[in-house]
Amino acid sequence: MHRLFIGLRPPREIRAALMSIMGGIAGARWQSDDQLHLTLRYIGEVDRQIGEEVALAMARIRAQPLAVALCGVGRFEKQGRTDAIWAGVAPGDALQRLHHKIDHALVAIGLPAEARAYLPHITLARLPRSLGVEQEIDGFIAAHAAFSSAPFAFTHITLFESQLTRDGARYDVVDRWPIIG
C-alpha cells in the first residue's frame, strides 16, 4: 500500500523563513526542510494501481500560476488539545479552486470526495498527545501572529508518498507537474 497526498513545495527562501521561527515548544516535533509543503489533497493508503491512476489523473490537471503569501500562525486541535502548529497561507481562492479541481479529478477515478473543509496551511510542528505545554503553544502563536512573507509562486504540483518512520514522516516525490502560465 502507498500513503499518498498531493501538495505544493514552497521555494527555498520561504522554507528558510519558516525554519527560522520554529522552536520554543518543548517536545514539539518540528518539521524538517524536506517536510515543508502545502497539502492540496490528502489521498491516504491506496494500492499501486490506484496510485498510477492518481498520477494519470494529475497529469491532466492544468493549473494557472498562483501567488500566495504566508500570513500568521495557528493551531489545529483535537478534543481540546493542540496537535499541530501551522503557518497560514493567503489568499486562498486560487488554492481552493485548485483543490476542488484535483478533488473532482480524484473522485472521477473512484476515490471518495474530500470530506473536510480546506484550510491552506503549512504544518510547522506536530505535538504528542501527552505534551501539556499549552502556555508555550499560546506564547509561540502570540509571538508569531504577525509572521508573513512577500508573495511567492509555486512552480510544481507534486504527488508525494508518505513513509511513517520512528523519527516522523518522510515524504518522497512520486511525480510532479509544472504549473504553467
Side-chain angles (χ1 to χ4, degrees), residues 21-28 30 127 133 135-141 144:
I21 67 167
M22 291 183 190
I25 302 173
W30 297 98
L127 296 117
V133 292
Q135 283 186 319
E136 290 180 29
I137 294 166
D138 291 344
F140 177 87
I141 290 173
H144 300 291

Side-chain angles (χ1 to χ4, degrees), residues 84-103:
I85 303 290
W86 48 261
V89 178
D93 294 345
L95 290 170
Q96 289 282 351
R97 285 190 298 275
L98 183 55
H99 166 77
H100 288 301
K101 187 184 284 191
I102 290 168
D103 193 47

Side-chain angles (χ1 to χ4, degrees), residues 7-177:
L8 300 168
R9 187 99 162 101
R12 181 178 300 128
E13 62 275 10
I14 297 300
R15 296 192 317 267
L18 291 165
M19 298 290 291
S20 74
I21 67 167
M22 291 183 190
I25 302 173
R29 291 189 323 265
W30 297 98
Q31 301 293 283
S32 69
D33 180 77
D34 290 339
Q35 293 173 309
L36 293 173
H37 69 278
L38 185 152
T39 301
L40 285 168
R41 174 65 155 74
Y42 179 73
I43 297 167
E45 291 197 12
V46 296
D47 63 26
R48 183 178 178 167
Q49 179 183 347
I50 297 295
E52 290 172 357
E53 289 179 34
V54 166
L56 289 172
M58 289 304 304
R60 292 188 292 272
I61 297 282
R62 295 296 170 252
Q64 297 298 313
L66 54 131
V68 299
L70 299 176
C71 62
V73 297
R75 70 176 95 203
F76 286 126
E77 295 181 347
K78 276 189 187 165
Q79 300 171 344
R81 183 196 62 78
T82 301
D83 68 348
I85 303 290
W86 48 261
V89 178
D93 294 345
L95 290 170
Q96 289 282 351
R97 285 190 298 275
L98 183 55
H99 166 77
H100 288 301
K101 187 184 284 191
I102 290 168
D103 193 47
H104 289 304
L106 297 179
V107 167
I109 64 168
L111 292 173
E114 178 67 63
R116 298 176 293 180
Y118 183 64
L119 173 67
H121 69 279
I122 298 173
T123 299
L124 302 177
R126 302 203 184 276
L127 296 117
R129 292 186 196 278
S130 61
L131 200 53
V133 292
E134 288 302 315
Q135 283 186 319
E136 290 180 29
I137 294 166
D138 291 344
F140 177 87
I141 290 173
H144 300 291
F147 177 71
S148 64
S149 74
F152 62 94
F154 294 103
T155 59
H156 291 82
I157 298 172
T158 304
L159 175 62
F160 290 97
E161 181 170 4
S162 175
Q163 303 283 334
L164 300 178
T165 71
R166 286 185 4 190
D167 299 324
R170 184 185 81 225
Y171 305 135
D172 298 317
V173 173
V174 174
D175 209 341
R176 46 188 244 157
W177 302 273

